[in-house]
Amino acid sequence: MRLYNSAVSGNCYKVRLLLAHLGLRYETVELSVVDRSDREEVLGELNPGLRVPTLVLDDGRPLAESNAILWYFGEGTEYVPDDRYERAQVLQWQFFEQYSHEPHIAVARFLMTYSGRPELWARQRERLLAGGNSALAAMERHLGGREFFVADRYSLADMSLYAYTHVAQEGDFDLAPYPAIRGWLERVAAQPGHVTIDA
């Protein structure tokens, strides 16, 4: 398998995290999250969105979008519940991650730490912090009294939300007011086969 990857991308990290848990081998092709000038040349035949992660299976079929890749490999493993309702809850949190969490926390992190465009960060900082803290508050409420997001077991939902939450400080988010999230981050990092974003 070949993973078109950006080392600092949380979306790419989700995929690398699951593949590490499953002990699956793959090669990576590194692409920049800042200079996207070669995206059409490299990914044009594989992913109409020209985004990473893009994965090419051993049989040559491409697969894009981080959470879709997680489901492809997670199906039939301990990371996807058997119960129909619990499976829907995993999807619920993954949709939340892409709609309410990632557009604020990941974008803030990119603009502040990686873009090299401080003026863009300054213009959007207030809006991004407000949206990101709203998402973190929702997570905090849900995690109160729970070990993990769905059925008190580690699942794809946790992997999806962990990817950008654990580096939220790189987007100027303070996790001190979120003790349930901080405890959850520690539990995720303690899972067998866990790898860090810079591994």
Side-chain angles (χ1 to χ4, degrees):
M1 290 187 299
R2 179 182 302 117
L3 176 65
Y4 290 87
N5 178 66
S6 288
V8 300
S9 163
N11 284 321
C12 293
Y13 173 52
K14 293 177 206 173
V15 175
R16 298 195 312 271
L17 180 57
L18 177 59
L19 294 178
H21 284 310
L22 297 176
L24 296 176
R25 298 175 62 85
Y26 60 97
E27 62 177 293
T28 57
V29 176
E30 288 297 318
L31 298 176
S32 172
V33 292
V34 177
D35 178 6
R36 299 173 183 230
S37 60
D38 62 348
R39 289 288 181 93
E40 187 164 358
E41 176 186 348
V42 176
L43 296 178
E45 297 294 317
L46 303 173
N47 179 355
L50 304 179
R51 288 189 294 271
V52 292
T54 297
L55 188 127
V56 179
L57 300 168
D58 288 336
D59 62 10
R61 290 179 298 168
L63 188 59
E65 301 298 332
S66 58
N67 289 331
I69 297 170
L70 291 190
W71 273 87
Y72 179 84
F73 288 102
E75 193 74 57
T77 73
E78 63 187 287
Y79 305 115
V80 173
D82 293 327
D83 179 80
R84 180 180 178 186
Y85 179 72
E86 292 172 357
R87 289 162 65 87
Q89 285 185 309
V90 171
L91 285 166
Q92 169 191 311
W93 283 108
Q94 289 183 307
F95 291 139
F96 169 87
E97 185 265 339
Q98 287 289 283
Y99 185 78
S100 299
H101 183 284
E102 194 263 2
H104 300 102
I105 293 175
V107 172
R109 174 179 178 255
F110 172 76
L111 291 177
M112 179 179 168
T113 306
Y114 297 102
S115 72
R117 302 282 306 277
E119 71 281 5
L120 294 179
W121 166 239
R123 283 203 300 266
Q124 299 184 56
R125 180 181 182 275
E126 187 174 334
R127 176 185 65 81
L128 292 171
L129 290 180
N133 278 304
S134 177
L136 291 169
M139 293 167 62
E140 180 75 10
R141 286 191 298 272
H142 181 75
L143 283 169
R146 291 182 173 92
E147 295 286 302
F148 297 104
F149 273 89
V150 177
D152 273 338
R153 53 184 280 194
Y154 183 55
S155 73
L156 299 185
D158 300 289
M159 293 179 213
S160 291
L161 285 161
Y162 180 84
Y164 282 112
T165 304
H166 87 289
V167 289
Q169 72 280 359
E170 293 181 8
D172 206 22
F173 291 94
D174 180 9
L175 296 183
Y178 305 109
I181 288 177
R182 288 186 282 108
W184 165 75
L185 291 174
E186 292 177 3
R187 289 188 292 276
V188 171
Q191 293 301 302
H194 181 84
V195 293
T196 59
I197 195 169
D198 58 358

